[in-house]
Structures are given as structure tokens and as C-alpha cells.
Amino acid sequence: MNFNTALLHGVSQADKNGATIEPIYQVSAFGFETAEKLEKVFNNRASGFAYTRISNPTVESFERKISALEKGIGSVACSSGMAAVTMSLLNILEAGDEIIAGSSLFGGTIDLFGDLLAFGIKTKFVNNVTAEEVEPLINDNTKAVFAELIGNPRLDVVDLKSVSELVHSKGVPFVVDSTTATPYLINPFDYGADIVVHSSSKYINGSGNSISGIIIDSGNFKWDTARYKVLEEYKKYGKFAYIAKLRNGIWRNVGCCLAPMNAFLNSIGLETLGLRMERLCNNALRLSEYFEMVDGIDVNYPALKSSKYYDLVQKQFGGKGGAILTIQTGSKESAFKLINNLKFAINATNIGDIRTLVIHPASTIYAHSTEQQKINAGVFEDTIRISVGIEDLIDDFSQALYYI
Ligand SMILES: *Cc1c(COP(=O)(O)O)cnc(C)c1O
């Protein structure tokens, strides 16, 4: 099945009335005819829905579609991308554990790793998530290696295969935030990732109308319960141990479930992921090629021949570079002028919308970061991040450049 066919027909619809999209079950609880039946559902001895914080048909329908799309054995949807990142890790971590992560991560994730210090969980950062940089930092306390496949906004690309080979040889799982790559560019499990998370607020939703996240389990990682003692109780679930613990443990108890309405909006958005990404990647390449010709503008886009990630983009993503690019205009003043002169591109802090969005990261998302954190994230005083939309806005950028 090609990508779009699989999106629309890959997962059979469960609705008994034949609804073409799973309807919105906008309810908190489900009634049962007998106490025996509800007892079974509560004890995982029968399938069924009891309470929406734990599971809901509309949410489950979205989860099944994402599991199929990412070729995982199961997934758990969350109230936000940050909730997904947090739960993907807290599901396996205890006080005293360490994470190894890239220093170019999304700002919220960097801040989260700071918050985890209060719970005795320490993160060691590497400048580039490569086997060479990660290896010396791995020790007995290392319980996860975490990376963004295409860093936002540094746009560095991780070579999944070489990093996963290394971390597996040390008995550590590779957790990958694939938000900016999307399943259209790659299935990270094919390259050795063990757990994938998405902020589905972005490309999966596509229209910027709901905050949400999702965690997908490959089922491939061999959890050694001597090392991951927290999974001991879930050993009986075999390859489903991680996802079973998530749904029955911390995720449900923290209560960061996805609302049925938002799951429904995501399922609608998901149907056009292939169409949108095809257009977004083409537009991003064209716009970045345009910027390459403009004097005084430096452009960073991983699918450009001038990018050091060009070969990796060919190998891992079939030549597609995603839909984010950054430009450097020479000064903060000129960056602001350019943004203010744009007629259509919207100045907003989001990515993955069908509309083109621009932002000056240094004065906004990274306003509270240290100078070193900004450099690590590829954020300079004159950097503008462009989340390319489905429109054709080369003319808009070219008229705005005229004034700077
Ligand atoms: C936006 C984003 C997140 C956080 O997702 P929210 O849905 O905003 O909570 C995490 N990782 C990446 C790469 C993101 O772009």
C-alpha cells in the first residue's frame, strides 16, 4: 500500500454503524450491564472501555492509526507532546538514573530535563547525538538515550542506525522524538529506534487546532529487568511490557490523557499527512534554494546540497528535508524588520501548520536560555525559524527582504 492508501485504509474501522471516521465519544465513563463484566475490564481480563482517562474509543482509534503508521506494537496518546516526552521516560526511570540527550533539543524538553533533577534524574548532554559522543557517557546508571531526529531549530539530523547499534550494545533503549521528521519521512523503528514520541500538535494534526502527543513502542527492545527493575511486574506481558506499564501505571496515574475531541481532530488531520508533507517539503526546498541566492542571507535546510546532512537526508529520508528551515539575516534589527514586513507568513510560536509561520527564536522560545544553550540549539541573534506551509510565499519573503 502506498502512504496515502495506508493512511486511509490501513486500519479497519471498528464502528458498528459504519461511520467512515470513528465518532467522538465525548463521555467520561462507560456503563456495564453486570459487575462481573466491569471487574474483568478493570483487571485487563476483558477488553472494553471504563473511563476516558484510561481509554476511549475515539482516542484508541487515533492510537491504532499511529501504531500502524509507525509500525509499532502499540501506542499511548497524551494531552501534549511534552506529556508524551515526559511519560516515555518516566515509565522506565527511577531516582539515580541518567539520560543522555542531544543539546539541540526542543526548548521545552531541555527545561523538562532540568525539572527532573529534583527527582534525582540527571541528563548528560552531547553536542551531537553520534555513537562517538554518546559512548563515553554511558555508564551503569544510563537508562535512556534521547534524541530529536531533526533538531528543532538547529536542524541537525541524527544517524539512527549507528547510534542505535551502539546504545543496544550497552543494553540501553533509544527514545526518538520524530515530531519534525513525521512518519512521511521515516519510520524510526526501521533504523533501530525503540520508542518514538511525537508532538502530534504539529504535523500529525496539521492545522494547529489541538495540543497532543503520542508514544509508540516498537516492541523490539529487550528489557533486562535486573537493570529496569520498574518493569519487573510487567515482565509477564513479554514484548508489550513497556506499553502495558505505561497504560496501567504512570501515564494513567498522572492523568495526561488525550481528550476525545482532540483525538478526533488529529484523526482528520492525519488523513492528509502525506499530501501535506509532500507539498511542505517541496515548498521548503524551493524557499531554501531561493534564500541561497539572496546576498546577505544564510540559510540552513538539511536537504540542501550545501548542508552537511545532505547525504544522511538522502539515505534516511529519501531526500526529503522536512518543513522547517532557518535563515540568518545579519542582525536582530533586520530579522525583526523582515518578520514585520511579511504580509502572509504569521509570526507565531508553532510548527507543522498548513500556514507558514515565522518566529525570532532568540527573543521568544529561547528568551530564558543561557548563551551556551542558544548556541547549542542553533539560535543566534539574527536567526528566523520558518515553518513552511502549503502556500507559495517566495514572493512574500522577497518583498519583505526588499525593506531590510
Ligand atoms: C512542539 C514540540 C514538542 C512539545 O510538544 P507540545 O505538543 O507543544 O507539548 C516536543 N518536541 C518537539 C520536537 C516539538 O516540536
Side-chain angles (χ1 to χ4, degrees):
M1 265 195 264
N2 93 2
F3 190 84
N4 292 324
T5 310
L7 269 181
L8 297 179
H9 305 289
V11 176
S12 60
Q13 260 326 112
D15 183 67
K16 62 180 188 303
N17 296 314
T20 52
I21 309 174
E22 185 76 19
I24 310 168
Y25 279 80
Q26 189 68 26
V27 291
S28 305
F30 299 80
F32 283 77
E33 277 163 21
T34 65
E36 287 80 5
K37 182 83 200 291
L38 188 54
E39 180 187 32
K40 279 192 185 144
V41 169
F42 254 80
N43 293 289
N44 291 324
R45 282 188 281 110
S47 62
F49 302 97
Y51 192 58
T52 287
R53 173 160 51 74
I54 302 161
S55 60
N56 171 287
T58 314
V59 178
E60 192 194 77
S61 168
F62 171 59
E63 290 169 339
R64 285 196 297 132
K65 286 175 192 160
I66 295 289
S67 299
L69 195 58
E70 282 290 26
K71 304 184 194 165
I73 58 161
S75 61
V76 169
C78 302
S79 53
S80 69
M82 284 317 304
V85 170
T86 309
M87 291 303 118
S88 72
L89 294 165
L90 291 190
N91 195 39
I92 48 172
L93 300 182
E94 308 178 69
D97 288 348
E98 292 181 4
I99 305 167
I100 297 173
S103 59
S104 68
L105 293 177
F106 175 72
T109 306
I110 301 248
D111 289 350
L112 167 74
F113 290 160
D115 297 333
L116 292 182
L117 280 171
F119 301 90
I121 295 164
K122 189 174 149 192
T123 303
K124 288 178 174 167
F125 291 101
V126 288
N127 199 15
N128 301 290
V129 183
T130 58
E132 296 70 35
E133 290 193 33
V134 170
E135 181 159 22
L137 300 185
I138 297 185
N139 62 37
D140 289 345
N141 298 326
T142 309
K143 296 293 173 65
V145 172
F146 184 92
E148 268 166 41
L149 189 38
I150 306 179
N152 166 19
R154 197 171 81 182
L155 306 176
D156 48 325
V157 181
V158 173
D159 186 339
L160 288 182
K161 203 159 179 287
S162 67
V163 178
S164 45
E165 274 166 13
L166 166 79
V167 299
H168 292 160
S169 75
K170 308 281 184 185
V172 177
F174 194 16
V175 184
V176 173
D177 180 337
S178 193
T179 300
T180 47
T182 82
Y184 181 73
L185 263 56
I186 187 173
N187 287 129
F189 297 153
D190 290 345
Y191 294 78
D194 301 293
I195 307 293
V196 163
V197 298
H198 286 282
S199 166
S200 38
S201 320
K202 315 289 171 56
Y203 298 92
I204 288 175
N205 175 280
S207 292
N209 60 43
S210 315
I211 298 293
S212 68
I214 192 156
I215 305 164
I216 309 107
D217 182 5
S218 66
N220 294 334
F221 191 74
K222 306 272 172 289
W223 300 100
D224 169 3
T225 50
R227 190 185 178 101
Y228 293 91
K229 291 190 201 68
V230 292
L231 283 170
E232 183 67 44
E233 194 191 330
Y234 290 88
K235 224 173 154 174
K236 59 179 186 251
Y237 292 98
K239 67 176 182 177
F240 294 94
Y242 175 94
I243 204 84
K245 177 171 188 293
L246 194 59
R247 191 171 292 282
N248 293 288
I250 192 152
W251 167 85
R252 99 161 37 173
N253 297 330
V254 167
C256 51
C257 59
L258 179 59
M261 180 67 173
N262 288 357
F264 179 77
L265 292 168
N266 284 348
S267 287
I268 294 175
L270 185 61
E271 295 182 338
T272 57
L273 179 68
L275 279 181
R276 284 184 285 110
M277 284 307 290
E278 189 181 339
R279 176 63 70 90
L280 295 180
C281 292
N282 286 340
N283 281 359
L285 182 61
R286 283 186 55 232
L287 186 61
S288 61
E289 283 169 348
Y290 161 76
F291 281 125
E292 266 194 325
M293 296 184 316
V294 179
D295 275 346
I297 298 282
D298 280 330
V299 54
N300 179 18
Y301 181 61
L304 280 177
K305 284 223 174 69
S306 57
S307 166
K308 64 175 171 179
Y309 298 108
Y310 179 80
D311 290 337
L312 191 52
V313 163
Q314 305 304 312
K315 195 173 80 178
Q316 266 186 180
F317 306 145
K320 304 233 181 319
I324 304 175
L325 55 105
T326 60
I327 55 171
Q328 287 182 259
T329 59
S331 68
K332 179 179 174 179
E333 290 69 38
S334 57
F336 270 41
K337 261 193 199 159
L338 177 64
I339 290 174
N340 293 343
N341 283 320
L342 286 164
K343 291 201 167 87
F344 300 117
I346 301 170
N347 183 203
T349 178
N350 195 11
I351 57 168
D353 201 309
I354 48 167
R355 297 155 194 84
T356 298
L357 309 177
V358 296
I359 195 162
H360 179 255
S363 63
T364 55
I365 320 171
Y366 290 86
H368 305 291
S369 305
T370 63
E371 287 310 308
Q372 191 58 48
Q373 282 172 330
K374 285 186 213 170
I375 292 169
N376 292 343
V379 171
F380 305 94
E381 273 306 292
D382 62 342
T383 302
I384 298 177
R385 183 186 73 187
I386 306 171
S387 171
V388 178
I390 62 170
E391 325 95 305
D392 181 355
L393 291 191
I394 291 182
D395 285 350
D396 195 16
F397 282 98
S398 109
Q399 66 80 25
L401 276 166
Y402 184 77
Y403 296 98
I404 74 170

PDB file of all heavy atoms in Angstrom, residues 251-283:
ATOM      1  N   TRP A 251       1.342   6.785  33.306  1.00  0.00           N
ATOM      2  CA  TRP A 251       0.573   7.643  32.382  1.00  0.00           C
ATOM      3  C   TRP A 251      -0.867   7.811  32.875  1.00  0.00           C
ATOM      4  O   TRP A 251      -1.408   8.910  32.906  1.00  0.00           O
ATOM      5  CB  TRP A 251       0.611   7.025  30.972  1.00  0.00           C
ATOM      6  CG  TRP A 251      -0.371   7.641  30.027  1.00  0.00           C
ATOM      7  CD1 TRP A 251      -0.186   8.777  29.285  1.00  0.00           C
ATOM      8  CD2 TRP A 251      -1.687   7.171  29.728  1.00  0.00           C
ATOM      9  NE1 TRP A 251      -1.316   9.042  28.553  1.00  0.00           N
ATOM     10  CE2 TRP A 251      -2.246   8.080  28.797  1.00  0.00           C
ATOM     11  CE3 TRP A 251      -2.445   6.079  30.149  1.00  0.00           C
ATOM     12  CZ2 TRP A 251      -3.530   7.909  28.291  1.00  0.00           C
ATOM     13  CZ3 TRP A 251      -3.715   5.918  29.641  1.00  0.00           C
ATOM     14  CH2 TRP A 251      -4.251   6.823  28.728  1.00  0.00           C
ATOM     15  N   ARG A 252      -1.476   6.693  33.304  1.00  0.00           N
ATOM     16  CA  ARG A 252      -2.867   6.799  33.750  1.00  0.00           C
ATOM     17  C   ARG A 252      -2.951   7.520  35.095  1.00  0.00           C
ATOM     18  O   ARG A 252      -3.911   8.238  35.362  1.00  0.00           O
ATOM     19  CB  ARG A 252      -3.516   5.409  33.817  1.00  0.00           C
ATOM     20  CG  ARG A 252      -3.557   4.820  35.190  1.00  0.00           C
ATOM     21  CD  ARG A 252      -4.534   3.705  35.447  1.00  0.00           C
ATOM     22  NE  ARG A 252      -4.748   2.758  34.375  1.00  0.00           N
ATOM     23  CZ  ARG A 252      -5.472   1.656  34.512  1.00  0.00           C
ATOM     24  NH1 ARG A 252      -6.037   1.368  35.658  1.00  0.00           N
ATOM     25  NH2 ARG A 252      -5.641   0.829  33.520  1.00  0.00           N
ATOM     26  N   ASN A 253      -1.931   7.337  35.924  1.00  0.00           N
ATOM     27  CA  ASN A 253      -1.982   7.925  37.263  1.00  0.00           C
ATOM     28  C   ASN A 253      -1.660   9.417  37.258  1.00  0.00           C
ATOM     29  O   ASN A 253      -2.184  10.172  38.077  1.00  0.00           O
ATOM     30  CB  ASN A 253      -1.054   7.166  38.206  1.00  0.00           C
ATOM     31  CG  ASN A 253      -1.509   5.722  38.356  1.00  0.00           C
ATOM     32  OD1 ASN A 253      -2.708   5.452  38.255  1.00  0.00           O
ATOM     33  ND2 ASN A 253      -0.579   4.810  38.546  1.00  0.00           N
ATOM     34  N   VAL A 254      -0.804   9.831  36.329  1.00  0.00           N
ATOM     35  CA  VAL A 254      -0.555  11.271  36.181  1.00  0.00           C
ATOM     36  C   VAL A 254      -1.803  11.922  35.561  1.00  0.00           C
ATOM     37  O   VAL A 254      -2.150  13.049  35.882  1.00  0.00           O
ATOM     38  CB  VAL A 254       0.709  11.528  35.333  1.00  0.00           C
ATOM     39  CG1 VAL A 254       0.808  12.986  34.902  1.00  0.00           C
ATOM     40  CG2 VAL A 254       1.949  11.138  36.124  1.00  0.00           C
ATOM     41  N   GLY A 255      -2.475  11.176  34.714  1.00  0.00           N
ATOM     42  CA  GLY A 255      -3.732  11.678  34.152  1.00  0.00           C
ATOM     43  C   GLY A 255      -3.570  12.590  32.957  1.00  0.00           C
ATOM     44  O   GLY A 255      -4.373  13.490  32.737  1.00  0.00           O
ATOM     45  N   CYS A 256      -2.525  12.320  32.152  1.00  0.00           N
ATOM     46  CA  CYS A 256      -2.304  13.204  30.995  1.00  0.00           C
ATOM     47  C   CYS A 256      -2.900  12.592  29.730  1.00  0.00           C
ATOM     48  O   CYS A 256      -2.243  12.488  28.707  1.00  0.00           O
ATOM     49  CB  CYS A 256      -0.825  13.509  30.825  1.00  0.00           C
ATOM     50  SG  CYS A 256       0.209  12.058  30.799  1.00  0.00           S
ATOM     51  N   CYS A 257      -4.180  12.193  29.839  1.00  0.00           N
ATOM     52  CA  CYS A 257      -4.845  11.544  28.702  1.00  0.00           C
ATOM     53  C   CYS A 257      -5.218  12.568  27.635  1.00  0.00           C
ATOM     54  O   CYS A 257      -5.327  13.761  27.905  1.00  0.00           O
ATOM     55  CB  CYS A 257      -6.100  10.832  29.185  1.00  0.00           C
ATOM     56  SG  CYS A 257      -7.274  11.937  29.968  1.00  0.00           S
ATOM     57  N   LEU A 258      -5.422  12.068  26.425  1.00  0.00           N
ATOM     58  CA  LEU A 258      -5.848  12.920  25.319  1.00  0.00           C
ATOM     59  C   LEU A 258      -7.372  13.030  25.324  1.00  0.00           C
ATOM     60  O   LEU A 258      -8.076  12.032  25.499  1.00  0.00           O
ATOM     61  CB  LEU A 258      -5.355  12.334  23.988  1.00  0.00           C
ATOM     62  CG  LEU A 258      -5.731  13.101  22.718  1.00  0.00           C
ATOM     63  CD1 LEU A 258      -5.190  14.533  22.754  1.00  0.00           C
ATOM     64  CD2 LEU A 258      -5.190  12.382  21.487  1.00  0.00           C
ATOM     65  N   ALA A 259      -7.885  14.239  25.111  1.00  0.00           N
ATOM     66  CA  ALA A 259      -9.333  14.439  25.043  1.00  0.00           C
ATOM     67  C   ALA A 259      -9.886  13.829  23.757  1.00  0.00           C
ATOM     68  O   ALA A 259      -9.255  13.937  22.704  1.00  0.00           O
ATOM     69  CB  ALA A 259      -9.644  15.927  25.088  1.00  0.00           C
ATOM     70  N   PRO A 260     -11.063  13.170  23.812  1.00  0.00           N
ATOM     71  CA  PRO A 260     -11.652  12.549  22.620  1.00  0.00           C
ATOM     72  C   PRO A 260     -11.789  13.531  21.452  1.00  0.00           C
ATOM     73  O   PRO A 260     -11.500  13.182  20.299  1.00  0.00           O
ATOM     74  CB  PRO A 260     -13.023  12.075  23.095  1.00  0.00           C
ATOM     75  CG  PRO A 260     -12.895  11.930  24.570  1.00  0.00           C
ATOM     76  CD  PRO A 260     -11.876  12.937  25.013  1.00  0.00           C
ATOM     77  N   MET A 261     -12.220  14.735  21.740  1.00  0.00           N
ATOM     78  CA  MET A 261     -12.378  15.732  20.669  1.00  0.00           C
ATOM     79  C   MET A 261     -11.059  15.980  19.949  1.00  0.00           C
ATOM     80  O   MET A 261     -11.007  16.059  18.719  1.00  0.00           O
ATOM     81  CB  MET A 261     -12.908  17.040  21.289  1.00  0.00           C
ATOM     82  CG  MET A 261     -13.115  18.136  20.282  1.00  0.00           C
ATOM     83  SD  MET A 261     -14.445  17.703  19.150  1.00  0.00           S
ATOM     84  CE  MET A 261     -14.577  19.220  18.254  1.00  0.00           C
ATOM     85  N   ASN A 262      -9.973  16.095  20.724  1.00  0.00           N
ATOM     86  CA  ASN A 262      -8.670  16.351  20.108  1.00  0.00           C
ATOM     87  C   ASN A 262      -8.167  15.134  19.335  1.00  0.00           C
ATOM     88  O   ASN A 262      -7.500  15.279  18.309  1.00  0.00           O
ATOM     89  CB  ASN A 262      -7.662  16.793  21.161  1.00  0.00           C
ATOM     90  CG  ASN A 262      -7.948  18.201  21.661  1.00  0.00           C
ATOM     91  OD1 ASN A 262      -8.875  18.857  21.174  1.00  0.00           O
ATOM     92  ND2 ASN A 262      -7.181  18.667  22.614  1.00  0.00           N
ATOM     93  N   ALA A 263      -8.485  13.943  19.831  1.00  0.00           N
ATOM     94  CA  ALA A 263      -8.119  12.724  19.094  1.00  0.00           C
ATOM     95  C   ALA A 263      -8.843  12.702  17.745  1.00  0.00           C
ATOM     96  O   ALA A 263      -8.268  12.348  16.713  1.00  0.00           O
ATOM     97  CB  ALA A 263      -8.475  11.481  19.907  1.00  0.00           C
ATOM     98  N   PHE A 264     -10.106  13.099  17.759  1.00  0.00           N
ATOM     99  CA  PHE A 264     -10.907  13.146  16.535  1.00  0.00           C
ATOM    100  C   PHE A 264     -10.294  14.139  15.539  1.00  0.00           C
ATOM    101  O   PHE A 264     -10.109  13.824  14.358  1.00  0.00           O
ATOM    102  CB  PHE A 264     -12.342  13.562  16.896  1.00  0.00           C
ATOM    103  CG  PHE A 264     -13.263  13.680  15.728  1.00  0.00           C
ATOM    104  CD1 PHE A 264     -13.797  12.549  15.118  1.00  0.00           C
ATOM    105  CD2 PHE A 264     -13.620  14.933  15.233  1.00  0.00           C
ATOM    106  CE1 PHE A 264     -14.663  12.663  14.031  1.00  0.00           C
ATOM    107  CE2 PHE A 264     -14.478  15.047  14.152  1.00  0.00           C
ATOM    108  CZ  PHE A 264     -15.004  13.916  13.546  1.00  0.00           C
ATOM    109  N   LEU A 265      -9.942  15.328  16.015  1.00  0.00           N
ATOM    110  CA  LEU A 265      -9.345  16.340  15.131  1.00  0.00           C
ATOM    111  C   LEU A 265      -8.002  15.843  14.584  1.00  0.00           C
ATOM    112  O   LEU A 265      -7.666  16.088  13.421  1.00  0.00           O
ATOM    113  CB  LEU A 265      -9.181  17.667  15.879  1.00  0.00           C
ATOM    114  CG  LEU A 265     -10.508  18.365  16.225  1.00  0.00           C
ATOM    115  CD1 LEU A 265     -10.282  19.508  17.215  1.00  0.00           C
ATOM    116  CD2 LEU A 265     -11.201  18.883  14.970  1.00  0.00           C
ATOM    117  N   ASN A 266      -7.252  15.120  15.413  1.00  0.00           N
ATOM    118  CA  ASN A 266      -5.989  14.549  14.926  1.00  0.00           C
ATOM    119  C   ASN A 266      -6.230  13.499  13.850  1.00  0.00           C
ATOM    120  O   ASN A 266      -5.482  13.417  12.879  1.00  0.00           O
ATOM    121  CB  ASN A 266      -5.221  13.891  16.075  1.00  0.00           C
ATOM    122  CG  ASN A 266      -4.550  14.907  16.972  1.00  0.00           C
ATOM    123  OD1 ASN A 266      -4.459  16.076  16.641  1.00  0.00           O
ATOM    124  ND2 ASN A 266      -4.097  14.445  18.121  1.00  0.00           N
ATOM    125  N   SER A 267      -7.258  12.667  14.050  1.00  0.00           N
ATOM    126  CA  SER A 267      -7.536  11.619  13.064  1.00  0.00           C
ATOM    127  C   SER A 267      -7.908  12.234  11.712  1.00  0.00           C
ATOM    128  O   SER A 267      -7.534  11.719  10.669  1.00  0.00           O
ATOM    129  CB  SER A 267      -8.665  10.700  13.544  1.00  0.00           C
ATOM    130  OG  SER A 267      -8.186   9.866  14.579  1.00  0.00           O
ATOM    131  N   ILE A 268      -8.635  13.327  11.746  1.00  0.00           N
ATOM    132  CA  ILE A 268      -8.973  14.011  10.484  1.00  0.00           C
ATOM    133  C   ILE A 268      -7.700  14.576   9.855  1.00  0.00           C
ATOM    134  O   ILE A 268      -7.431  14.377   8.670  1.00  0.00           O
ATOM    135  CB  ILE A 268      -9.984  15.154  10.728  1.00  0.00           C
ATOM    136  CG1 ILE A 268     -11.313  14.596  11.196  1.00  0.00           C
ATOM    137  CG2 ILE A 268     -10.181  15.976   9.448  1.00  0.00           C
ATOM    138  CD1 ILE A 268     -12.324  15.667  11.568  1.00  0.00           C
ATOM    139  N   GLY A 269      -6.894  15.252  10.671  1.00  0.00           N
ATOM    140  CA  GLY A 269      -5.657  15.842  10.152  1.00  0.00           C
ATOM    141  C   GLY A 269      -4.732  14.788   9.563  1.00  0.00           C
ATOM    142  O   GLY A 269      -4.156  14.971   8.491  1.00  0.00           O
ATOM    143  N   LEU A 270      -4.634  13.674  10.269  1.00  0.00           N
ATOM    144  CA  LEU A 270      -3.735  12.592   9.853  1.00  0.00           C
ATOM    145  C   LEU A 270      -4.011  12.119   8.422  1.00  0.00           C
ATOM    146  O   LEU A 270      -3.096  11.742   7.700  1.00  0.00           O
ATOM    147  CB  LEU A 270      -3.901  11.429  10.841  1.00  0.00           C
ATOM    148  CG  LEU A 270      -2.977  10.238  10.681  1.00  0.00           C
ATOM    149  CD1 LEU A 270      -1.527  10.654  10.843  1.00  0.00           C
ATOM    150  CD2 LEU A 270      -3.340   9.152  11.700  1.00  0.00           C
ATOM    151  N   GLU A 271      -5.269  12.151   8.013  1.00  0.00           N
ATOM    152  CA  GLU A 271      -5.639  11.640   6.685  1.00  0.00           C
ATOM    153  C   GLU A 271      -4.912  12.366   5.553  1.00  0.00           C
ATOM    154  O   GLU A 271      -4.705  11.811   4.489  1.00  0.00           O
ATOM    155  CB  GLU A 271      -7.159  11.758   6.494  1.00  0.00           C
ATOM    156  CG  GLU A 271      -7.913  10.858   7.465  1.00  0.00           C
ATOM    157  CD  GLU A 271      -9.419  10.900   7.282  1.00  0.00           C
ATOM    158  OE1 GLU A 271      -9.931  11.890   6.728  1.00  0.00           O
ATOM    159  OE2 GLU A 271     -10.075   9.926   7.695  1.00  0.00           O
ATOM    160  N   THR A 272      -4.520  13.616   5.792  1.00  0.00           N
ATOM    161  CA  THR A 272      -3.837  14.372   4.728  1.00  0.00           C
ATOM    162  C   THR A 272      -2.347  14.563   5.028  1.00  0.00           C
ATOM    163  O   THR A 272      -1.691  15.388   4.384  1.00  0.00           O
ATOM    164  CB  THR A 272      -4.494  15.757   4.529  1.00  0.00           C
ATOM    165  OG1 THR A 272      -4.478  16.458   5.789  1.00  0.00           O
ATOM    166  CG2 THR A 272      -5.925  15.638   4.030  1.00  0.00           C
ATOM    167  N   LEU A 273      -1.813  13.802   5.987  1.00  0.00           N
ATOM    168  CA  LEU A 273      -0.395  13.960   6.329  1.00  0.00           C
ATOM    169  C   LEU A 273       0.499  13.798   5.096  1.00  0.00           C
ATOM    170  O   LEU A 273       1.423  14.585   4.876  1.00  0.00           O
ATOM    171  CB  LEU A 273       0.016  12.956   7.417  1.00  0.00           C
ATOM    172  CG  LEU A 273       1.487  13.012   7.831  1.00  0.00           C
ATOM    173  CD1 LEU A 273       1.816  14.303   8.556  1.00  0.00           C
ATOM    174  CD2 LEU A 273       1.853  11.821   8.724  1.00  0.00           C
ATOM    175  N   GLY A 274       0.225  12.774   4.288  1.00  0.00           N
ATOM    176  CA  GLY A 274       1.058  12.510   3.104  1.00  0.00           C
ATOM    177  C   GLY A 274       0.995  13.654   2.105  1.00  0.00           C
ATOM    178  O   GLY A 274       2.023  14.139   1.611  1.00  0.00           O
ATOM    179  N   LEU A 275      -0.234  14.104   1.826  1.00  0.00           N
ATOM    180  CA  LEU A 275      -0.413  15.215   0.878  1.00  0.00           C
ATOM    181  C   LEU A 275       0.272  16.476   1.371  1.00  0.00           C
ATOM    182  O   LEU A 275       0.960  17.163   0.619  1.00  0.00           O
ATOM    183  CB  LEU A 275      -1.910  15.535   0.723  1.00  0.00           C
ATOM    184  CG  LEU A 275      -2.737  14.669  -0.198  1.00  0.00           C
ATOM    185  CD1 LEU A 275      -4.173  15.185  -0.226  1.00  0.00           C
ATOM    186  CD2 LEU A 275      -2.141  14.689  -1.603  1.00  0.00           C
ATOM    187  N   ARG A 276       0.052  16.761   2.662  1.00  0.00           N
ATOM    188  CA  ARG A 276       0.634  17.985   3.207  1.00  0.00           C
ATOM    189  C   ARG A 276       2.157  17.925   3.208  1.00  0.00           C
ATOM    190  O   ARG A 276       2.836  18.860   2.807  1.00  0.00           O
ATOM    191  CB  ARG A 276       0.109  18.236   4.642  1.00  0.00           C
ATOM    192  CG  ARG A 276      -1.309  18.768   4.686  1.00  0.00           C
ATOM    193  CD  ARG A 276      -1.731  19.077   6.111  1.00  0.00           C
ATOM    194  NE  ARG A 276      -2.038  17.886   6.899  1.00  0.00           N
ATOM    195  CZ  ARG A 276      -1.329  17.406   7.893  1.00  0.00           C
ATOM    196  NH1 ARG A 276      -0.225  18.006   8.293  1.00  0.00           N
ATOM    197  NH2 ARG A 276      -1.709  16.315   8.544  1.00  0.00           N
ATOM    198  N   MET A 277       2.709  16.799   3.698  1.00  0.00           N
ATOM    199  CA  MET A 277       4.173  16.716   3.806  1.00  0.00           C
ATOM    200  C   MET A 277       4.847  16.795   2.438  1.00  0.00           C
ATOM    201  O   MET A 277       5.910  17.390   2.298  1.00  0.00           O
ATOM    202  CB  MET A 277       4.590  15.446   4.548  1.00  0.00           C
ATOM    203  CG  MET A 277       4.383  15.503   6.038  1.00  0.00           C
ATOM    204  SD  MET A 277       5.147  16.945   6.844  1.00  0.00           S
ATOM    205  CE  MET A 277       6.893  16.551   6.688  1.00  0.00           C
ATOM    206  N   GLU A 278       4.213  16.191   1.434  1.00  0.00           N
ATOM    207  CA  GLU A 278       4.787  16.250   0.088  1.00  0.00           C
ATOM    208  C   GLU A 278       4.911  17.722  -0.338  1.00  0.00           C
ATOM    209  O   GLU A 278       5.961  18.174  -0.792  1.00  0.00           O
ATOM    210  CB  GLU A 278       3.854  15.486  -0.856  1.00  0.00           C
ATOM    211  CG  GLU A 278       4.396  15.275  -2.225  1.00  0.00           C
ATOM    212  CD  GLU A 278       3.392  14.539  -3.109  1.00  0.00           C
ATOM    213  OE1 GLU A 278       2.484  13.856  -2.588  1.00  0.00           O
ATOM    214  OE2 GLU A 278       3.514  14.686  -4.335  1.00  0.00           O
ATOM    215  N   ARG A 279       3.819  18.471  -0.138  1.00  0.00           N
ATOM    216  CA  ARG A 279       3.819  19.883  -0.523  1.00  0.00           C
ATOM    217  C   ARG A 279       4.761  20.708   0.360  1.00  0.00           C
ATOM    218  O   ARG A 279       5.511  21.563  -0.116  1.00  0.00           O
ATOM    219  CB  ARG A 279       2.396  20.428  -0.453  1.00  0.00           C
ATOM    220  CG  ARG A 279       2.262  21.912  -0.739  1.00  0.00           C
ATOM    221  CD  ARG A 279       2.681  22.274  -2.165  1.00  0.00           C
ATOM    222  NE  ARG A 279       1.742  21.769  -3.142  1.00  0.00           N
ATOM    223  CZ  ARG A 279       0.668  22.434  -3.594  1.00  0.00           C
ATOM    224  NH1 ARG A 279       0.424  23.636  -3.149  1.00  0.00           N
ATOM    225  NH2 ARG A 279      -0.123  21.889  -4.484  1.00  0.00           N
ATOM    226  N   LEU A 280       4.720  20.436   1.673  1.00  0.00           N
ATOM    227  CA  LEU A 280       5.547  21.215   2.608  1.00  0.00           C
ATOM    228  C   LEU A 280       7.036  21.034   2.317  1.00  0.00           C
ATOM    229  O   LEU A 280       7.805  22.002   2.304  1.00  0.00           O
ATOM    230  CB  LEU A 280       5.263  20.809   4.061  1.00  0.00           C
ATOM    231  CG  LEU A 280       3.871  21.083   4.639  1.00  0.00           C
ATOM    232  CD1 LEU A 280       3.795  20.595   6.084  1.00  0.00           C
ATOM    233  CD2 LEU A 280       3.515  22.550   4.582  1.00  0.00           C
ATOM    234  N   CYS A 281       7.441  19.783   2.081  1.00  0.00           N
ATOM    235  CA  CYS A 281       8.869  19.520   1.822  1.00  0.00           C
ATOM    236  C   CYS A 281       9.295  20.178   0.504  1.00  0.00           C
ATOM    237  O   CYS A 281      10.400  20.734   0.413  1.00  0.00           O
ATOM    238  CB  CYS A 281       9.149  18.015   1.777  1.00  0.00           C
ATOM    239  SG  CYS A 281       8.954  17.199   3.369  1.00  0.00           S
ATOM    240  N   ASN A 282       8.432  20.109  -0.525  1.00  0.00           N
ATOM    241  CA  ASN A 282       8.774  20.762  -1.797  1.00  0.00           C
ATOM    242  C   ASN A 282       8.883  22.269  -1.619  1.00  0.00           C
ATOM    243  O   ASN A 282       9.820  22.901  -2.114  1.00  0.00           O
ATOM    244  CB  ASN A 282       7.707  20.457  -2.866  1.00  0.00           C
ATOM    245  CG  ASN A 282       7.815  19.036  -3.364  1.00  0.00           C
ATOM    246  OD1 ASN A 282       8.858  18.395  -3.217  1.00  0.00           O
ATOM    247  ND2 ASN A 282       6.742  18.520  -3.932  1.00  0.00           N
ATOM    248  N   ASN A 283       7.925  22.846  -0.900  1.00  0.00           N
ATOM    249  CA  ASN A 283       7.954  24.296  -0.679  1.00  0.00           C
ATOM    250  C   ASN A 283       9.191  24.709   0.126  1.00  0.00           C
ATOM    251  O   ASN A 283       9.799  25.738  -0.153  1.00  0.00           O
ATOM    252  CB  ASN A 283       6.694  24.757   0.063  1.00  0.00           C
ATOM    253  CG  ASN A 283       5.488  24.867  -0.857  1.00  0.00           C
ATOM    254  OD1 ASN A 283       5.591  24.613  -2.056  1.00  0.00           O
ATOM    255  ND2 ASN A 283       4.342  25.233  -0.302  1.00  0.00           N
TER     256      ASN A 283
END
